Amino acid sequence: MKVLSVVGARPQFVKLAPIAHEAAARGVEHVIVHTGQHYDPMLSDVFFEDLKIPAPAVHLGVGSGSHGQQTGAMLAALDDVLESQQPDWALVYGDTNSTLAGALSAVKLHIPVAHLEAGLRSFNRTMPEEINRVVTDHAADLLLAPTDVAMSHLADEGLAPRSVLVGDVMTDVLLQVRDAVAGRPPALLAELGLEPGGYSLATIHRAENTDDAGRLGAIIDALAAVDHPVVLLAHPRLVAKARDAGLALERGSVRVHAPLAYPDLVAAAVASRGVVTDSGGLQKEAFLLGVPCTTVRPQTEWVETVELGWNVLVEPGQALVAATSRPTPPDTTAAPYGDGHAAARVITALESAAPSP
Ligand code: UD1
């Protein structure tokens, strides 16, 4: 069996790691194609190095642009790669423009498509990620769902016959990295003069939060008003949009820091008193690490984190400020994101459904 993974953005490199390792262990031929959506070394190269992912066989170098430009450039380049590689499966991850391009290019070439992290829904169609997920799920031949809730969304859309519950591959990576960094104080503590448990860790990058100057200003105002230090890991999109809007990021409680490599991020989250984010992955990572999360969005795809009391959804303003000082919820034994062996189930599902030679 030959599997071709299409990846391009930071969270996809994390999800790729356990798949690449499992494919290698099981003797599956695995070709990695990097679209180039993320090109900054701290958003791309360090993930390949730290998570020991083989270098991509093909790098499309697409870079930034409008949704149409970026997705169109990926589609044109992927057509050639997929035609020459002729994999048994094109495997696409998550909900970015790289996911959509990989799925559309492969399905039009009659190459079977599997979607990892299928079935997530925010039901907010103004989010580019929501459109990418819905279109990808309906184009794909095999839907690899992380949770029971994702399976039920797929069933509601008539996609149950193509769906398999595999668990969440991010859990696979996170549990390994958490154990590897245990007892190692995060480098940023010394760098910023902070104590373990004495700061919140924040990331903000989603278009709906960064691209409206008023909303972005309200988020930064709220972070600045928190009663303890807030380490803001500034994604390039946030930096660019704040600059365009003439907004200073570092004020009040906010301490700006560059994005972190994955092990450093996990260590920094473990040592924090809470996480404030609009990332999908970090909501779940906080839950798995037993750290309270405050999500600056009206909806979440990871509803289990809210239902179990570890995540609250807030609007920028006093609700955000107050949420950063709420008490830690009681421990839970619930494991909605699987057992850390999702990648093995993904490869088994691909083998079971692969066309015979
Ligand atoms: C993308 C995904 C988002 C995911 C996020 C993870 C889409 C639609 N969005 O958002 O779902 O959560 O990745 O980070 O695919 N930029 C750089 N250097 C880079 C990459 C981007 O400076 O390496 C800047 C550019 O100004 C670019 C902007 O960030 O225009 C946005 O980048 P883009 O990849 O389009 O989307 P993200 O915001 O990263």
Side-chain angles (χ1 to χ4, degrees):
M1 179 172 71
K2 177 174 178 178
V3 177
L4 184 147
S5 284
V6 179
V7 290
R10 178 169 61 175
Q12 294 170 327
F13 309 138
V14 179
K15 294 164 200 168
L16 170 66
I19 299 293
H21 298 151
E22 185 69 19
R26 307 246 298 248
V28 171
E29 188 181 355
H30 185 214
V31 177
I32 298 172
V33 178
H34 189 320
T35 62
Q37 177 170 352
H38 284 177
Y39 42 88
D40 283 355
M42 284 307 291
L43 296 192
S44 176
D45 301 8
V46 292
F47 287 81
F48 283 82
E49 287 155 22
D50 289 334
L51 300 176
K52 301 190 172 47
I53 305 169
V58 183
H59 198 298
L60 306 179
V62 164
S64 301
S66 69
H67 288 285
Q69 285 164 345
Q70 191 179 53
T71 312
M74 290 177 195
L75 274 171
L78 281 168
D79 276 359
D80 293 341
V81 174
L82 283 163
E83 273 207 290
S84 70
Q85 291 282 344
Q86 289 295 324
D88 295 305
W89 286 105
L91 181 57
V92 298
Y93 299 68
D95 56 17
T96 75
N97 290 342
S98 298
T99 317
L100 178 65
L104 281 183
S105 175
V107 74
K108 295 277 186 97
L109 293 168
H110 307 147
I111 291 170
V113 181
H115 182 205
L116 183 69
E117 214 176 68
L120 294 182
R121 296 289 182 268
S122 65
F123 302 101
N124 175 353
R125 287 174 60 88
T126 64
M127 289 177 68
E129 293 85 0
E130 181 75 357
I131 304 302
N132 290 342
R133 311 180 178 109
V134 170
V135 175
T136 300
D137 280 342
H138 285 260
D141 303 280
L142 178 63
L143 301 171
L144 302 161
T147 61
D148 291 328
V149 171
M151 286 294 281
S152 72
H153 292 151
L154 293 169
D156 290 346
E157 293 173 29
L159 299 173
R162 288 186 256 155
S163 306
V164 182
L165 178 65
V166 289
D168 186 350
V169 292
M170 281 186 92
T171 306
D172 298 18
V173 196
L174 182 74
L175 297 182
Q176 288 166 19
V177 173
R178 178 197 64 187
D179 294 346
V181 302
R184 193 210 295 174
L188 64 70
L189 290 189
E191 212 178 306
L192 299 176
L194 297 169
E195 294 297 325
Y199 63 96
S200 286
L201 190 68
T203 76
I204 296 290
H205 75 274
R206 291 219 177 253
E208 59 267 34
N209 281 336
T210 56
D211 294 11
D212 174 333
R215 187 169 171 93
L216 180 57
I219 293 170
I220 304 304
D221 286 347
L223 294 177
V226 169
D227 66 0
H228 54 267
V230 175
V231 178
L232 176 60
L233 301 175
H235 185 288
R237 180 187 200 108
L238 172 68
V239 174
K241 296 292 178 180
R243 192 190 312 115
D244 294 350
L247 290 167
L249 291 176
E250 189 151 273
R251 56 199 157 90
S253 299
V254 177
R255 321 281 295 272
V256 175
H257 195 283
L260 294 175
Y262 196 67
D264 295 330
L265 172 85
V266 172
V270 171
S272 74
R273 57 184 280 174
V275 160
V276 180
T277 193
D278 59 5
S279 149
L282 197 50
Q283 293 173 50
K284 224 174 8 170
E285 286 157 347
F287 170 78
L288 293 166
L289 295 170
V291 175
C293 183
T294 300
T295 298
V296 192
R297 284 182 50 196
Q299 313 86 10
T300 179
E301 301 77 34
W302 304 107
V303 290
E304 303 82 3
T305 58
V306 175
E307 286 162 6
L308 292 165
W310 284 84
N311 189 9
V312 293
L313 307 181
V314 296
E315 283 297 305
Q318 190 46 40
L320 195 171
V321 180
T324 61
S325 292
R326 72 187 193 277
T328 302
D331 279 346
T332 174
T333 51
Y337 303 119
D339 57 3
H341 299 288
R345 285 188 210 96
V346 168
I347 299 294
T348 300
L350 294 174
E351 282 174 339
S352 314
S356 5

